[in-house]
Amino acid sequence: MVNLETIAVNGQTLTINPQVFKTTRYRGTMVDSGTTLGYLAEEAYDIFVNAITKAVSQHVCAFDGLTSQFYRTTSSVDIFPVVSLNFTGGAAMLLRGEDYLVQQFSIGAETVWCMGFQKFPGRGLTILRDMVLKDKIVIYDLARQQIGWASYNCSQSVKVSATTSNACVASISVWHLLLVLVINYSVAVSRCFLLH
């Protein structure tokens, strides 16, 4: 589990009760690189979707689908607001529209985007999956149970060296690592998530 504290849309922290993200044995936020779509705790989902919809209301036609919110627009995905997932210790994962929306189809000049998060009912669980991790280097320190990430163009090759922990920390700072990690012996670098 990672300790998500707040979510902000266009720099405005959403009014979600902090207890929603509190980590306990059965609640909290997980990172799962094995599947595509993400889940937001039920108590956070509608607040999040409403904030996104309000931010783009002049540029899109929003409509409900069977399981998610959809947006029809002639504009690019760049009109969607930046989302910040804010974690304990000051780390933040910034998400662009293409990091939380999935392009469904285009008809002429219109594109239909689907919310890539789904509501996780009743459990207080948020799961960050491939969609929000694409184009990021993810670093796991299993010994210390820490995780870090940095934005990265995943179409380029990745070079990792871990001769000493100081060298590894220096390499990570070059990648503007958002969560400071002290890398010890074993570091697993996850694959770039291919959702292009």
Side-chain angles (χ1 to χ4, degrees), residues 1 140-147 165 169 180-187:
M1 296 276 193
Y140 302 91
D141 181 344
L142 300 177
R144 291 196 173 104
Q145 297 184 0
Q146 294 179 318
I147 186 171
S165 51
V169 171
V180 178
L181 297 174
V182 179
I183 306 302
N184 202 350
Y185 298 105
S186 63
V187 175

Side-chain angles (χ1 to χ4, degrees), residues 24 65 108:
T24 66

Side-chain angles (χ1 to χ4, degrees), residues 58-90:
Q58 294 184 2
H59 306 284
V60 304
C61 173
F63 58 97
D64 292 327
L66 291 175
T67 60
S68 195
Q69 181 75 20
F70 288 83
Y71 303 95
R72 192 177 75 226
T73 183
T74 56
S75 301
S76 78
V77 71
D78 296 334
I79 63 163
F80 287 89
V82 171
V83 170
S84 179
L85 303 176
N86 304 305
F87 297 88
T88 300

Side-chain angles (χ1 to χ4, degrees), residues 71-75 103-113:
Y71 303 95
R72 192 177 75 226
T73 183
T74 56
S75 301
Q103 183 176 351
Q104 293 297 298
F105 54 88
S106 296
I107 300 174
E110 291 189 328
T111 303
V112 175
W113 295 90

